[in-house]
Amino acid sequence: MRTNFLNRTKPIHYVIISALFLCLFLWHFIREFDYFSALYSGWWLYVQRLIVVLGIVASLFVGIFIVNRNKLDKQSSYVFLINTLFYIIFWDIFSDLDIVIANFLVIIALRYLISSKSYFISKSRIFNASFFIALASIFHPWALLILVLVFVSIFTTFQNDYKRVIVPFIGVGVVTFWYAMAIVFQYDNFEQTISQMYQLDFGWFSFSSPIKQVLFIFYHLLIGLALLSFFYQINVVSKKVKSSYFKLFLLLLLSSTIALTSSQKSNNLFVFTFFPVSLFLARIIETTNKYWIKRLLLITLTVITILSFSSIYWEHYLF
């Protein structure tokens, strides 16, 4: 059974899951390929698609590196599988270069903040995390909200050393300076550009299709299930791992806020939540003694993945 096959991490699992993802990506790319658009855009269209697939694959492997290095799961392949399925379910991400790059940079920043080996977070790690989050905000402005995670990490780690609070501002300041120079050089209007970037919109009723609305509701149910898993796991894991789980919980809350408040509404915005949700759902599969729960969760995710991706072809016939 697939639940048993994935119980222990093996390289073949990553190969099979990655091959499946790449095949579906190529399938989607070939279907959406427009010869005339490609001819007009030149090689940039190919470069964009290449960066997207590399960015997603890199995010998946950096995420699993964080999990394995810090022993956040029971050394299974469920985190990698579920995370991959989320990218396929929300297949519009394949065409969203900015959100893919922003998510990859956030995952890199998370790598510097999560460590079950030691409570100590060096100034260089704080700077690097802040730098990458600020860099991610160039591609999606509200990703800057995840900077809250950096400050929480500082306050919970260095209760008597608040001088380190200055470090994140230096990291953000470096990115802001160079970005401001680029905007002034190109547009000569920095303030207007920034004001247009940070706009709020709490409306979530303008879906382009019923399928996207169903996926929106379904994914919120998964987020709720992931939160329930966190409140259970936080009481049974070790103290060092507990700190990492709390940071992932906070990341999930901040990422959900980004998705719900950003002005340009899209299910793609939930990409920032994929990693923490994948981990918490994987922990349900790993720790539950009820086999039917494992099967139900995996079968549901698989069915939704198939229906979502196949909707590319049959949706316009029904709606």
Side-chain angles (χ1 to χ4, degrees), residues 20-281:
L20 171 64
F21 170 78
L22 292 174
C23 288
L24 292 177
F25 174 84
L26 290 174
W27 186 7
H28 174 75
F29 176 72
I30 292 172
R31 182 186 179 277
E32 296 293 319
F33 181 78
D34 186 337
Y35 173 78
F36 294 103
S37 296
L39 187 65
Y40 177 78
S41 303
W43 286 100
W44 177 237
L45 180 63
Y46 297 99
V47 173
Q48 280 184 309
R49 293 296 183 266
L50 179 62
I51 294 174
V52 165
V53 70
L54 291 178
I56 292 176
V57 172
S59 298
L60 289 170
F61 278 97
V62 172
I64 206 64
F65 173 81
I66 295 173
V67 171
N68 291 339
R69 182 176 179 82
N70 298 289
K71 298 180 180 179
L72 300 181
D73 68 349
K74 292 189 174 182
Q75 302 299 300
S76 69
S77 298
Y78 293 117
V79 177
F80 191 78
L81 173 65
I82 296 173
N83 205 358
T84 303
L85 291 180
F86 284 155
Y87 284 102
I88 300 173
I89 290 173
F90 298 103
W91 48 266
D92 280 347
I93 292 176
F94 292 167
S95 303
D96 198 335
L97 177 62
D98 288 346
I99 204 71
V100 168
I101 295 176
N103 179 61
F104 172 67
L105 294 171
V106 168
I107 295 294
I108 292 294
L110 191 64
R111 165 68 186 90
Y112 290 104
L113 295 176
I114 290 186
S115 176
S116 62
K117 305 294 182 182
S118 172
Y119 294 111
F120 180 77
I121 304 178
S122 64
K123 292 181 180 179
S124 62
R125 280 176 169 262
I126 296 172
F127 175 85
N128 290 338
S130 306
F131 178 85
F132 281 109
I133 291 173
L135 208 58
S137 70
I138 294 177
F139 298 93
H140 186 75
W142 283 109
L144 192 63
L145 185 63
I146 300 176
L147 197 66
V148 172
L149 184 59
V150 178
F151 289 105
V152 170
S153 299
I154 294 173
F155 291 137
T156 55
T157 306
F158 306 101
Q159 297 181 0
N160 298 319
D161 186 8
Y162 295 125
K163 293 180 180 179
R164 294 178 186 266
V165 175
I166 301 175
V167 178
F169 291 104
I170 297 174
V172 174
V174 171
V175 176
T176 303
F177 174 78
W178 289 111
Y179 185 57
M181 293 298 99
I183 290 178
V184 171
F185 179 76
Q186 186 173 2
Y187 301 107
D188 196 28
N189 198 332
F190 177 73
E191 293 182 0
Q192 182 177 354
T193 303
I194 295 299
S195 64
Q196 292 174 350
M197 290 170 60
Y198 291 96
Q199 295 180 354
L200 295 173
D201 182 3
F202 295 93
W204 259 102
F205 301 100
S206 56
F207 292 97
S208 59
S209 72
I211 296 299
K212 289 181 173 57
Q213 186 171 5
V214 171
L215 292 177
F216 174 80
I217 297 172
F218 170 74
Y219 192 70
H220 269 76
L221 294 176
L222 291 181
I223 291 178
L225 188 60
L227 293 175
L228 290 176
S229 174
F230 164 77
F231 288 115
Y232 170 77
Q233 299 295 334
I234 200 68
N235 295 318
V236 298
V237 297
S238 64
K239 189 174 182 180
K240 289 184 178 180
V241 176
K242 186 177 295 187
S243 173
S244 299
Y245 270 47
F246 176 75
K247 291 175 184 178
L248 288 170
F249 169 73
L250 183 57
L251 174 64
L252 177 55
L253 295 182
L254 294 172
S255 301
S256 299
T257 303
I258 291 172
L260 294 173
T261 59
S262 296
S263 58
Q264 297 180 347
K265 295 302 180 186
S266 168
N267 282 338
N268 295 351
L269 295 175
F270 286 111
V271 69
F272 300 112
T273 68
F274 285 178
F275 178 60
V277 171
S278 298
L279 176 63
F280 293 140
L281 293 183

